[in-house]
Amino acid sequence: MRPDLPYILGGVVLGGFLLGNAALAPDADPVRAADVALVLAMAAALAVCRRFPVPALLVVAATMLTLHVRVHAGVSAAFAVLGTVYIAAWRGHRAAAALTSLVFLGGFLAYDVSTVPDGRPAQQTVERTTLLLGWFVAANVAGLVARQRRAYLEQVEQRAADAERTREEVALRRAGEERLRIARDLHDSLTHSISVIKVQAGIAVHLARKRGEEPPAALLAIQEAGGAAMRELRETLEVLRAPSELGRAGLERVAELAERTRAAGVPVQLTVTGGPADLPAEVDQAGYRVVQEALTNIARHAGEASAEVHVDYTPARLTVSVVDDGRAAADRPVTPGVGLRGMRERVTGLGGTLQADRRDGGGFAVRATFPLDGTA
């Protein structure tokens, strides 16, 4: 009802104006019950002219012409017809608006000519008819102009939407091209080097066993880490080429990661509390990468140290912590490297928090918390 409210109010105002004008005009006939019914019919038709412009136009023109014939309402009877003519033309019913205007003007003029008093000059009738003709022409033209303006605005909005969609498509295409370029660069720069490391480690292990010697644990760890690095690199390249698919590395492989770290000479104790939850793929992968980077940093920088990995599943959050007892001194400031910045970006990008700092008793601690209930 809200869009129709202005039309309802317009019908009420015009009806009251017509009745008041007919009651006060000196040359108008008395208003009877039938005349009030005509005004009410006009107001009702005007109230629904937004929904039904052509039927409302016909009803308003017929009732106002009849009212003019019955009580000689004069020019005021044309006001409601002018409004409905404008609305019909604005809604695209040009022929109905023009034809109704001609019929109403013809009937209005015919009645005025037939009832003109002998003492009134014909010039007044012609001037009033000419004035009404100009009003009706203006109403039809204004309706057409309003319709064309609305069509123009719709075209502008459509072109803006098309331009926005085109910009998004171009941005997506450029992002895809950038991912492919990064994938090619990673393949060209890393695959060869990792393959050489893996092959050389495999050859060294084979030669040691051929001589009847037990290969060193560090050499076996290098061989296994090289194979794992190749698998993860392939998964990463697949993700870059098809961004809708995430890599398969997740927290279910933390035990395998801890075993590889032990083979590299770092004792690792793994503790998992809470049942493994159905984590979002991004959170699962980010938790694994945090543990992987933390254990890599321990192997590289902590010296002779042991590590404790704790994965805690709760309905509201996932907490991953890695603590070592290495040679990091508590009084030295931490200088974030690429790995630590990458961890922080992963965690904060998912709405979580990351704490990475030296421990009071020596060593280093990394703790990442991911919200699972939609809150950061």
Side-chain angles (χ1 to χ4, degrees), residues 18 38-39 42 59-68 77 80-81 104:
L18 283 171
L38 290 174
V39 173
M42 178 275 299
V59 171
V60 170
T63 54
M64 291 298 96
L65 186 59
T66 304
L67 182 68
H68 177 61
V81 184
F104 181 82

Side-chain angles (χ1 to χ4, degrees), residues 41-55:
M42 178 275 299
L46 193 60
V48 299
C49 67
R50 186 184 69 87
R51 301 175 183 268
F52 311 102
V54 174

Side-chain angles (χ1 to χ4, degrees), residues 8 41 52 69 260 266 286 296-297 369:
I8 296 174
F52 311 102
V69 172
R260 288 206 308 267
V266 179
T296 301
N297 288 339
T369 303

Side-chain angles (χ1 to χ4, degrees), residues 243-304:
S244 60
E245 301 177 0
L246 291 172
R248 294 188 298 272
L251 289 173
E252 74 278 358
R253 293 175 55 181
V254 168
E256 176 186 345
L257 182 62
E259 187 61 33
R260 288 206 308 267
T261 307
R262 294 189 193 102
V266 179
V268 178
Q269 179 182 353
L270 174 62
T271 305
V272 179
T273 57
D278 187 12
L279 300 176
E282 298 90 344
V283 174
D284 191 23
Q285 187 181 44
Y288 174 82
R289 295 302 182 189
V290 167
V291 176
Q292 182 185 44
E293 182 63 27
L295 291 179
T296 301
N297 288 339
I298 292 172
R300 292 174 58 190
H301 306 297
E304 295 183 1

